[in-house]
Amino acid sequence: MEETEESNANKKCTTKTRSFRGRANPHKHQYQYQYQHQLLQYSNQYGFCNQNPYPRYYPALLPLPPQIPLQLALTPPLPQNQSFRTKTHLQKPSCKLNSPPPAASSETHVQNVTISPAPEEVQRPKSLPPKDDNGRRVIGSRTPQALVAARRPDSGGVEGPVISLIANHFLVRFDPSQRIFHYNVEISPNPSKEIARMIKQKLVEENSAVLSGALPAYDGRKNLYSPVEFHNDRLEFHVSLPIPNSKSTLPNGEFSNLLEKRQKHKLFRINIKLVSKIDGKELSSYLSKEGDDWIPLPQDYLHALDIILRESPTEKCISVGRSLYSSSMGGTKAIGGGAVGLRGFFQSLRPTQQGLALNVDFSVTAFHESIGVIPYLQKRLEFLRDLSQRKTRGLIGEERKEVEKALKNIRIFVCHRETVQRYRVYGLTEEATENLWFADRDGKKLRLVTYFKDHYNYDIQFRNLPCLQIIRSKPCYLPMELCMICEGQKFLGKLSDDQTARILKMGCQRPRQRKEIIDEVMRGPVGPTSGTQGREFNLNVSVEMTRLNGRILQPPKLKLGDGGHVRDLVPTRHDRQWNLLDSHVLEGTKIERWALISFGGTSDQKSYIPKFINQLSQRLTSQFLANLALKINAKVGGCTVALYNSLPSQIPRLFRSDEPVIFMGADVTHPHPLDDYSPSVAAVVGSMNWPAANKYVSRMRSQTHRQEIIQELGVMVWELLDDFYQEVNKLPQRIIFFRDGVSETQFYKVLQEELQAIRVACSRFPGYKPLITFAVVQKRHHTRLFPLETDPSSTQNQCLDENIPPGTVVDTVISHPKEFDFYLCSHWGVKGTSRPTHYHILWDENQFTSDELQKLVYNLCYTFVRCTKPVSLVPPAYYAHLAAYRGRLYLERSDSTAYMRSASTFSRAAPPKATPLPKLSENVKNLMFYC
């Protein structure tokens, strides 16, 4: 039986709400005086400085960690009070043309690092951190050291019964001795990716002998990979391509007789230069268990293999990021508003414990419908539905802004002349088409409508509409009616509720159906095994999903309220859900005064308001009202549920009741994809009660547009630690930090900069050095787990048509070959196919075992305050996401419109300074108002 800390015999539970504003502190004013008086002294002592905005980092092609700087690499922490040195491993340099590696000394000295437990008595900080140019307090950092991600502490967890699974990972076997020749490609004039692929195809067909008979793989930009070496290291070719005639796509045949039907040819010059010769020996060593633990992932060879396996699908599909879409996978489906849904698949190479694996998943996304701009606007905007019948109509008031918002950044082509050129819509002209004039090459002023009549014999119909402006720096006008939406553009606008529902319906597939779709991709004509490139480079891709074993963690015993008493409950339903209709929240909050606001409604609807108020106030009579009361209670300081057996009793090796631990979560939310100027919003939350650890205070800041690194993390962590001290009268001896929203290409950048910010924040408290665990939490990945039908006589991977149960954890076979990560599905998937959460521990001074950390995360998922079931994401990360979203809502609309109005004065490389978020009221900021 599970051990319990309390008996179940009608123990009284308190209903007094613990205030998050902090208990009275007689020394508070003295500390505030010290903060101000010793500001300069402390800033000099700890080296605080203003931080410059971090540069914007674009994701690399592969969603994999970049090479670790070897000259400062550190090994993971050893047991407490032990110091260590690392040895430097030299890597064979690659001669990449565009990004040569930095020179590294063969003998690099690394300072000793000592890890020690936090002292019991720690002083609070003596001064406030300094302010930057914007008046914000910034905790700077010393020069950060390069770090190595935590290694797996054991061979994986062992707790819980075993479950047979299959995963959408496909084993890729490669020949380590196979050399790949990497060439740089320069094409002049610079073509689009589609045209570049046509050039490459014709070049290979016409120059087989010079290319040694190779069928190289090409990424559509500058990288070409061949299994054999070309005759010369430098080659130059000239390729003539026919320009496609765009008249076949003209609307209503209006211009079918304007131009002579003919095809023009355009000449391109192609220069090819050998960059490097690489083989797979280092990658094979990295993936093998015998390989050195500290060699970096060989990105160059992995990148080449990824391009090779994408060659055939890219030729047949529309490429969007790492996903590929094709009408052959079920056709297109109109979802309204000028958008269509298209099915496709995601593919990515991943290093795993079983070797190199290809992760393939089903995908659906929305595209702009490839039609004329005028009919597109008729479908997209309700107020323009009758535009074709009202050709003299203009745009008034907010209509112009709505049209500009709908068209901005969309790629178009013109249909009044033959050209392969594509344009991106920058904005709309201020004047209507009828009033536009421009200067020709001789400086002569020409009226736009007259120009089109004289040169193309076409009378512009929609003269009162503005033209499209396609160049930011100078006037360049195109009448809307002569423009078409280019095919294959992902819909970047915000989908309406109806559009979202239709897209979700297209992508909502039960496990068995999803598995069948993925299997069809692997065996079908557009998938990664459909071409000849695999054979060219000695690659063998399995078409069978990976079999593996997972484990099912058992649910924890929970503590609920029951009429002033404590009640224990173990969720035993298959979905691990429990019901509050026959029980109470653990800690209720009394609300003395409250009001209800009704926004409109019919007289019949308004008549239900008194009944609704009576039902809500007279006890939690329908599930809807129970859930509503649950959220209200949480927002005003109450507590829904707690773990019956506290965390110190569950993980006694690391946790003690008298040694507090804080759980923190952090996330950054970015503006809409079409918004080039609005700030990003970062939020950090921290638990304020120990050992219950179920009440979280938030801090949020605006920061540079699309900056993923949290710029004021140090300040927010420092504030939360100070709040924790006021609540618990101790600083936490351990910090468990969950970071959401980080892609794998950013792992080491985030670890290096944000871990250092946390350390510097801790150093604000003299002598305070807590043990830190830094874990990245990922929901936006494409690994799916399917329950396997256990039939010993069957050799096929038969999938059950149900989702994996809550508590399913996987930390072998498909997980990282060396680093500390695991997949945990803590929730029950009601619709579609469950997506497990990926936890990747980048730094672990607390030295968790796999079982300890997995159990901790899973049990915390039962303490989420807004529902009566385990959630899919560990609560600190979930709360940080909610807080960041709430912070975005606080940015006033006027700020957003101000950014749009001043768009012409800024460039993408230099977005405006972030507008600070409004200051929260003192009686609100330490409550869970954001949840």
Side-chain angles (χ1 to χ4, degrees), residues 110 125 296 350 419 435 490 521 579 584 601 618 727 734 754 792:
V110 182
R350 301 186 61 81
T419 179
N435 301 326
K490 184 179 179 181
V521 169
N579 202 320
H584 295 190
Q618 294 297 324
E727 285 292 322
R734 304 177 192 271
E754 295 190 357

Side-chain angles (χ1 to χ4, degrees), residues 212-251:
S212 304
L215 296 177
Y218 179 48
D219 69 351
R221 293 188 178 95
K222 292 182 176 295
N223 297 297
L224 188 77
Y225 297 96
S226 172
V228 296
E229 191 169 6
F230 298 158
H231 282 183
N232 295 300
D233 290 350
R234 292 176 180 267
L235 298 170
E236 181 172 302
F237 303 92
H238 291 84
V239 172
S240 178
L241 269 189
I243 298 175
N245 191 329
S246 61
K247 290 186 294 184
S248 59
T249 60
L250 300 186

Side-chain angles (χ1 to χ4, degrees), residues 644-864:
Y644 195 88
N645 295 329
S646 67
L647 293 175
S649 69
Q650 297 186 42
I651 310 178
R653 188 181 71 86
L654 295 179
F655 296 159
R656 292 179 54 185
S657 297
D658 59 345
E659 296 180 354
V661 176
I662 188 171
F663 297 95
M664 289 186 172
D667 192 18
V668 179
T669 177
H670 300 294
H672 190 274
L674 293 181
D675 186 341
D676 289 340
Y677 303 97
S678 295
S680 295
V681 176
V684 184
V685 303
S687 60
M688 291 291 122
N689 55 342
W690 175 258
N694 58 0
K695 292 186 178 181
Y696 288 77
V697 163
S698 69
R699 292 294 181 267
M700 52 189 79
R701 299 285 195 280
S702 61
Q703 63 181 39
T704 304
H705 174 79
R706 300 205 183 283
Q707 172 60 256
E708 185 56 50
I709 301 295
I710 301 178
Q711 293 173 322
E712 295 189 54
L713 177 63
V715 176
M716 291 188 279
V717 168
W718 172 76
E719 291 178 1
L720 291 172
L721 290 174
D722 191 58
D723 289 343
F724 187 94
Y725 182 88
Q726 294 185 45
E727 285 292 322
V728 185
N729 281 335
K730 285 184 178 180
L731 286 170
Q733 294 205 15
R734 304 177 192 271
I735 297 176
I736 318 297
F737 194 92
F738 295 98
R739 178 65 157 90
D740 194 11
V742 179
S743 66
E744 290 176 324
T745 57
Q746 298 172 312
F747 274 8
Y748 301 99
K749 176 72 173 176
V750 167
L751 174 63
Q752 182 167 312
E753 300 197 19
E754 295 190 357
L755 177 62
Q756 182 71 3
I758 296 171
R759 284 173 167 167
V760 175
C762 294
S763 71
R764 298 289 301 171
F765 303 87
Y768 177 52
K769 295 181 180 178
L771 300 179
I772 301 172
T773 294
F774 191 106
V776 168
V777 184
Q778 293 178 300
K779 283 289 288 182
R780 294 182 180 179
H781 63 84
H782 288 269
T783 294
R784 297 294 185 272
L785 301 172
F786 306 93
L788 183 63
E789 188 175 24
T790 55
D791 182 5
S793 63
S794 175
T795 59
Q796 299 297 319
N797 292 341
Q798 295 297 326
C799 169
L800 296 176
D801 197 21
E802 62 183 33
N803 275 309
I804 53 179
T808 300
V809 63
V810 169
D811 57 6
T812 60
V813 185
I814 62 170
S815 53
H816 197 279
K818 301 179 186 299
E819 297 175 6
F820 190 7
D821 72 328
F822 59 90
Y823 294 90
L824 172 63
C825 183
S826 52
H827 69 295
W828 173 251
V830 179
K831 293 183 178 180
T833 305
S834 294
R835 187 200 321 244
T837 300
H838 187 214
Y839 296 89
H840 201 125
I841 294 78
L842 299 184
W843 193 257
D844 185 25
E845 294 171 352
N846 289 289
Q847 299 175 19
F848 282 98
T849 65
S850 294
D851 279 327
E852 287 172 339
L853 190 55
Q854 291 163 10
K855 182 178 182 180
L856 171 65
V857 169
Y858 184 50
N859 287 357
L860 287 177
C861 289
Y862 282 82
T863 65
F864 192 67

Side-chain angles (χ1 to χ4, degrees), residues 134 136 667 669 678-684 698-703 712 716 880 882-892 895-896 899 913-921 929:
N134 297 324
R136 303 180 183 181
D667 192 18
T669 177
S678 295
S680 295
V681 176
V684 184
S698 69
R699 292 294 181 267
M700 52 189 79
R701 299 285 195 280
S702 61
Q703 63 181 39
E712 295 189 54
M716 291 188 279
L882 294 175
Y885 177 76
R886 178 60 60 93
R888 175 153 302 286
L889 297 180
Y890 291 153
L891 292 174
E892 296 180 357
D895 291 333
S896 299
Y899 284 128
K913 292 183 179 180
T915 302
L917 294 174
K919 187 176 181 180
L920 294 174
S921 173
F929 64 92

Side-chain angles (χ1 to χ4, degrees), residues 127-227:
S127 64
L128 287 171
K131 294 183 178 181
D132 63 8
D133 295 336
N134 297 324
R136 303 180 183 181
R137 301 201 180 277
V138 176
I139 294 183
S141 62
R142 305 178 187 90
T143 303
Q145 296 173 322
L147 305 175
V148 173
R151 266 30 184 182
R152 194 177 303 279
D154 44 43
S155 58
V158 296
E159 289 191 10
V162 173
I163 178 174
S164 296
L165 303 169
I166 47 179
N168 58 339
H169 286 215
F170 299 85
L171 185 63
V172 178
R173 292 185 173 88
F174 63 96
D175 181 1
S177 63
Q178 171 67 54
R179 300 184 78 187
I180 296 179
F181 300 86
H182 178 199
Y183 292 88
N184 181 73
V185 179
E186 296 284 349
I187 303 179
S188 179
N190 188 30
S192 66
K193 288 182 68 175
E194 294 78 11
I195 300 298
R197 290 189 180 279
M198 295 170 60
I199 294 171
K200 173 257 180 183
Q201 185 175 357
K202 188 173 183 182
L203 183 149
V204 171
E205 291 173 355
E206 296 178 350
N207 300 275
S208 178
V210 179
L211 301 180
S212 304
L215 296 177
Y218 179 48
D219 69 351
R221 293 188 178 95
K222 292 182 176 295
N223 297 297
L224 188 77
Y225 297 96
S226 172

Side-chain angles (χ1 to χ4, degrees), residues 492-612:
L492 296 180
K494 184 178 180 181
L495 295 176
S496 67
D497 292 342
D498 289 340
Q499 289 174 319
T500 301
R502 294 186 182 110
I503 280 289
L504 289 177
K505 187 175 181 180
M506 288 182 66
C508 187
Q509 311 292 339
R510 293 295 295 172
R512 179 175 293 173
Q513 186 178 4
R514 192 182 197 97
K515 179 185 178 299
E516 290 173 353
I517 294 174
I518 296 172
D519 287 338
E520 289 175 5
V521 169
M522 292 302 296
R523 295 177 170 87
V526 299
T529 62
S530 61
T532 62
Q533 279 71 26
R535 294 190 297 273
E536 284 282 312
F537 291 84
N538 287 331
L539 293 176
N540 187 311
V541 182
S542 172
V543 294
E544 294 292 333
M545 288 191 180
T546 298
R547 289 195 181 201
L548 68 156
N549 288 331
R551 293 171 290 112
I552 305 176
L553 303 181
Q554 297 306 298
K557 183 183 289 187
L558 304 178
K559 187 190 298 184
L560 300 172
D562 188 10
H565 299 80
V566 171
R567 176 191 175 198
D568 68 280
L569 170 73
V570 177
T572 56
R573 285 175 38 167
H574 72 285
D575 58 2
R576 300 295 186 249
Q577 189 168 353
W578 65 96
N579 202 320
L580 275 184
L581 286 178
D582 54 355
S583 60
H584 295 190
V585 295
L586 179 62
E587 185 179 311
T589 303
K590 188 174 182 180
I591 303 177
E592 298 289 347
R593 295 181 299 273
W594 63 285
L596 186 145
I597 302 177
S598 174
F599 295 94
T602 64
S603 57
D604 289 339
Q605 291 172 332
K606 291 179 180 179
S607 65
Y608 287 104
I609 293 178
K611 180 181 178 182
F612 171 80

